[in-house]
Amino acid sequence: MFSEQTGLKEGWFDGGSIIFAVFLVVIVSAVSNFKQSRQFQALADESSDIRIEVVRDGRRQGLSIFDVVVGEIVCLKTGDQIPADGLFLNGHSLKVDESSMTGESDHVEVDEKSPFLLSGTKVTDGYGFMLVTSVGMSTAWGEMMSSISHELNEETPLQARLNKLTSCIGKIGLTVAVLVLAVMLIRYFTGNTRDETGKREFLGRKTKVDDVMNSVINIIAAAVTIIVVAIPEGLPLAVTLTLAFSMKRMMKEHAMVRKLSACETMGSVTTICTDKTGTLTLNQMKVTEFWIGKEAMTGNASSSGLAHNLYELLQDAVGLNTIGNVYKSNSESTPEITGSPTEKAILSWAVLDLGMNVDEPKQCCKVINVEAFNSEKKRSGVLVKRICEKTVHIHWKGAAEMILAMCSHYYVKSGTIRVLDGEARKQIEIVIKDMAAKSLRCIAFAHTKVAEADGQVQEKLEETGLTLLGLVGLKDPCRPGVRAAVECCRNAGVNVKMVTGDNVHTARAIAIECGILNPDVGLNNDDAVIEGVKFRSLSAEERVAKIESIRVMARSSPLDKLLMVQSLKQKGHVVAVTGDGTNDAPALKAADIGLSMGIQGTEVAKESSDIVIMDDNFTSVVTVLRWGRCVYNNIQKFLQFQLTVNVAALVINFVAAVSSGKVPLTAVQLLWVNLIMDTLGALALATEQPTNDLMSKPPVGRSEPLITKLMWRNLIPQAIYQVTILLTLQFKGRSIFSVNESVKDTMIFNTFVFCQIFNEFNARKLEKKNIFKGIHKNKLFLAIIGITIVLQLIMVEFLKKFADTERLNWGQWAACIGIAAMSWPIGFLFKCIPVSGTQLLFKQRAS
């Protein structure tokens, strides 16, 4: 479009360079978005890779859902997702939620009469085995399987807020551009602009039409360029980059993000409600105490003098009332034990310590009915009939105080039965409390037998008049680093509350060991330690009033956890909650952030959650919290950096246009600055890793503005400095440095670019004065700074015609860099000015 002025050979530079700059920005953004979408898809595939248990080679084995084949025998238990279409083989109390297929919320009972199981449905109760009849796209679930993965490209709340901000800044830029256009056109047509020789550009009718058109096109190009620079299209890119970067790093640190918005919401969390087993503890349970009645047993069965009849009853209780399994390839091999950690610990104790053959009872007994364990009842029962006997046996296993309440008699080690009177009951309760005080999970076994009446087999499990067989105490040590992680949360202004199914004594002991509870808090202090039954009996107003002071909830049901989450949210808290069971799904969905467990978590819990903690470790929860804060912090850094450039560029061009009728920065130069601040700036600042400093700040409030007082304090001085310096160069540069107009314009461009490079360092730390701390850890930041400097050198020294620049001498380069470098001491000085409200708010929250 400028070929008539400069000829075809050079006339394409201006237009071509603009097209190239726009093309480069678009390509970088497109490649980045493509890479992130590939990464999101990989994470979606990861979340679809469900682990199941099958029977192969006569033993249970773990397997990926993608490896299941027709004819496979799959083990199903409460909380599992059914991996394929199939037929029920055997099992007890198996109920399935088919709402994902049929839309019906009622749970369907599956047995020999109704044996069909559909892929994608969930087991809500009981256990059993199924024969796989079809897999993959051949199942009824078929193509709907892909909808299990959450869409990871949804717009997050932060992205929505930034889009509004981008729109607002764009409107301001458009207004400035229109004003610049109007002023420059008025100045041109009133004869107030002059060319390089000092002559007036517009002479009325004497001016050629081509000259007028060229001048008008130049003015319009300058106005359009201002719009391009003003619109911060790098903000969405920065958000995408930082979210994708954090997701990738979190995956390496054992946290799989299922919902993109969870990354940023974690930065606002004020309360974490955590489970105990497997999260605060190692989930490596071992039986450390064994009691028969009021007497502790030591050593193996023979040395302890355990009666034969009692030994057989305990063997039945362990072998029949379990969903675990013991596999031994030969008599000399070490047995392979599968099941939940509690089941594995009890089976291991029975097989290795007591020498029991837990498979023997299964061969000589017929199971009539089963009541599967769940987190509400906290017990499981089995009703069996011995072959060739007319007596029905009932075995119960579960939380010690609950089983004890069902008993009227108890066994002693000699095998005799005694009445469980008030004194004996009190002594056994003390035994249970003592075990709980040692952080042991106390499990009780109880038994009764009922004779058949007129050949009719009883199917109901008796719940009263039982005989206590024995008690076992399971030790589950705290995870290393949990106490430090809890302390880290406290320092960050985040409260940690423990919600557990264990009794109040065990819960209190573990809470003290983890640092959640102070040792001087007594059991009678309902403000800190409360049982689930008492919490749910409170009115909604009482729950909200007490929720702040509660630290531990013992003997809780999933409903109690849900009520706790709801009460905290009513108080204005941003709540993260951990859960692993099927019944935890409502609480996980109700919380701001649902954290499911990757190892012990059921598929129902995982699908209801936002983030899956792959190693079930509370320390990983704190890692997620740190990354959540890092995401928000990185966005704020980039926002501060970009707004400084926007303000400076708009003010310089506007003032220069109004006063002299010319803009100091050309279209190509402004687009180059746009590339630096949008694409390269986003890459540099959005990939900063979290620091420990982030965990010494209060949580980010839900309604806290994106641009804080702190950012304005940093932003305004830098923008004022850049505007002052560049306008000084614009009007006095020629006389100060004794240079011509084009060298002066090149120095303005060079100084402006280096101001952004130096200010990029300032943006690394919003509060800290030492902007270089940890810079060696971010190799990408240093690489981008290096690339930017090299490209700027090429632009100035070698692309004279393309970039409309002049070569500078050493003195002029030093002047440009020296002026720009002043942004460091200015940033340091202004960071000494305190910002009101920040520290006060944190102190109030911490207290």
Side-chain angles (χ1 to χ4, degrees), residues 176 645-657 719 723 727:
V176 172
V645 187
N646 282 353
V647 170
L650 286 176
V651 172
I652 292 160
N653 279 295
F654 179 71
V655 173
V723 168
L727 287 178

Side-chain angles (χ1 to χ4, degrees), residues 76-80 94 123-127 323 372-374 582 602:
L76 300 173
K77 61 182 183 298
T78 304
D80 282 353
L94 190 66
V123 179
T124 57
D125 200 9
Y127 62 90
I323 58 169
F373 178 88
N374 68 45
T582 302
T602 63

Side-chain angles (χ1 to χ4, degrees), residues 440-453:
L440 300 183
R441 172 176 285 185
C442 197
I443 304 292
F445 299 94
H447 164 263
T448 190
K449 54 185 178 181
V450 181
E452 287 184 15

Side-chain angles (χ1 to χ4, degrees), residues 486-499:
V486 170
E487 185 64 28
C488 182
C489 287
R490 189 173 286 119
N491 292 338
V494 178
N495 295 316
V496 180
K497 300 181 188 295
M498 187 177 85
V499 185

